[in-house]
Amino acid sequence: MNEFERRLSARQDELDWLYMELYGDRGRLNELKAMMTRAFQRRSQELRLLDQEREATPGWFRSGGMLGVTMYPALFAGTLKGVEGRLDYLQEQGITYLHLMPLLKMPHPNNDGGYAVEDFNQVDPSLGTNEDLSRLTAAMRRRGMSLCLDFVVNHTADTHEWALRAKAGERAYMDRYICFDSPEIPREMERHIPDVFPETAPGSFLYVEEMGQYVCSSTSLTAPRSGQRRSHRRPVWILP
């Protein structure tokens, strides 16, 4: 039994219970475990040693010596290579972990600050490449610094592959979002769901003509209410 199998075995009952409680799909759960196994097999020896070190000291991230900073890469240094070029400066300030705001591929110019994710597997080209991100994390580890990514998993951009396939009528992808055929339930829900951006993007549902359905969206681009201008935010489609 390797390290991953040992850790999974210790937490498997909890994982199974939580996943089945949420999704009720044993086949997908097995796919997730297989994906996790492959990810461990590809994990470098350097990272496996770091895993062991952190497992031995589970409270490492709460240490009094930890000092973090949050930033948008583009505003701080333009690109990920630019951030890497300023690591010595951050180290001089005593920074031990760096929280980078959303940096995955996003539609431009409207992307809700990067939270409208178009591709979860690719760094946005305006910031660099996946290789740039790997080099940045390696450079940080050499300085004893940790990276925290703002990784959004409960919604996508309306330009994400899943959303595009949902718009094209593929039922399997339509079912990945919260959709309704008629406005009655969405309107009732909107009476109780607080708006994320009440002034610029009121409402929690967006009517998508291609689908003929109302899709739950935290930044709706529906017609503005009286006295309000249309939002320039990108709608994000909510996943169940």
Side-chain angles (χ1 to χ4, degrees):
M1 180 180 292
N2 62 35
E3 302 163 56
F4 169 74
E5 292 169 339
R6 175 180 55 78
R7 289 196 291 266
L8 179 61
S9 177
R11 298 167 176 83
Q12 185 157 265
D13 288 345
E14 182 180 13
L15 173 62
D16 289 2
W17 169 66
L18 289 172
Y19 192 96
M20 294 302 294
E21 180 77 11
L22 285 170
Y23 303 111
D25 191 327
R26 179 66 62 177
R28 291 289 188 183
L29 173 59
N30 291 335
E31 287 182 26
L32 173 63
K33 292 178 181 177
M35 186 184 302
M36 293 163 61
T37 300
R38 292 192 297 271
F40 176 77
Q41 291 169 346
R42 295 193 300 266
R43 199 160 177 80
S44 68
Q45 185 62 26
E46 179 187 9
L47 288 176
R48 292 188 188 193
L49 291 174
L50 183 60
D51 292 339
Q52 294 175 10
E53 177 184 327
R54 288 179 171 175
E55 188 175 20
T57 54
W60 64 270
F61 59 94
R62 295 181 299 201
S63 165
M66 294 295 289
L67 178 64
V69 62
T70 301
M71 64 178 64
Y72 277 99
L75 296 179
F76 178 66
T79 64
L80 295 181
K81 286 184 178 179
V83 175
E84 181 180 352
R86 298 188 180 185
L87 288 182
D88 287 341
Y89 163 74
L90 293 174
Q91 188 175 27
E92 290 172 3
Q93 311 311 307
I95 300 300
T96 58
Y97 75 90
L98 184 59
H99 176 188
L100 296 182
M101 298 296 278
L103 50 75
L104 298 177
K105 187 177 180 183
M106 61 193 82
H108 292 277
N110 302 323
N111 50 55
D112 200 28
Y115 285 94
V117 179
E118 187 171 284
D119 187 344
F120 287 91
N121 296 311
Q122 182 182 345
V123 168
D124 192 80
S126 68
L127 298 172
T129 66
N130 289 10
E131 290 72 26
D132 292 338
L133 180 60
S134 294
R135 284 192 291 270
L136 171 61
T137 57
M140 290 179 64
R141 285 195 296 274
R142 289 194 295 271
R143 292 169 171 80
M145 301 168 70
S146 300
L147 177 65
C148 174
L149 288 184
D150 208 313
F151 196 77
V152 182
V153 295
N154 74 325
H155 58 250
T156 73
D158 64 342
T159 52
H160 187 280
E161 178 190 1
W162 294 0
L164 295 177
R165 296 181 72 167
K167 290 178 185 179
E170 293 189 46
R171 174 53 59 181
Y173 290 89
M174 294 169 69
D175 289 343
R176 296 189 182 194
Y177 297 97
I178 303 172
C179 306
F180 295 93
D181 295 325
S182 62
E184 287 78 16
I185 294 178
R187 296 298 172 257
E188 181 63 24
M189 291 176 68
E190 285 181 331
R191 292 178 54 199
H192 305 284
I193 300 176
D195 288 339
V196 178
F197 302 106
E199 297 300 321
T200 59
S204 299
F205 284 85
L206 176 70
Y207 182 71
V208 180
E209 292 185 5
E210 297 96 323
M211 297 165 59
Q213 292 195 319
Y214 293 82
V215 180
C216 188
S217 171
S218 67
T219 54
S220 172
L221 293 191
T222 53
R225 294 176 183 172
S226 176
Q228 293 176 321
R229 60 183 176 83
R230 183 177 295 276
S231 169
H232 292 286
R233 293 183 179 276
R234 169 71 58 175
V236 291
W237 289 16
I238 307 298
L239 299 166

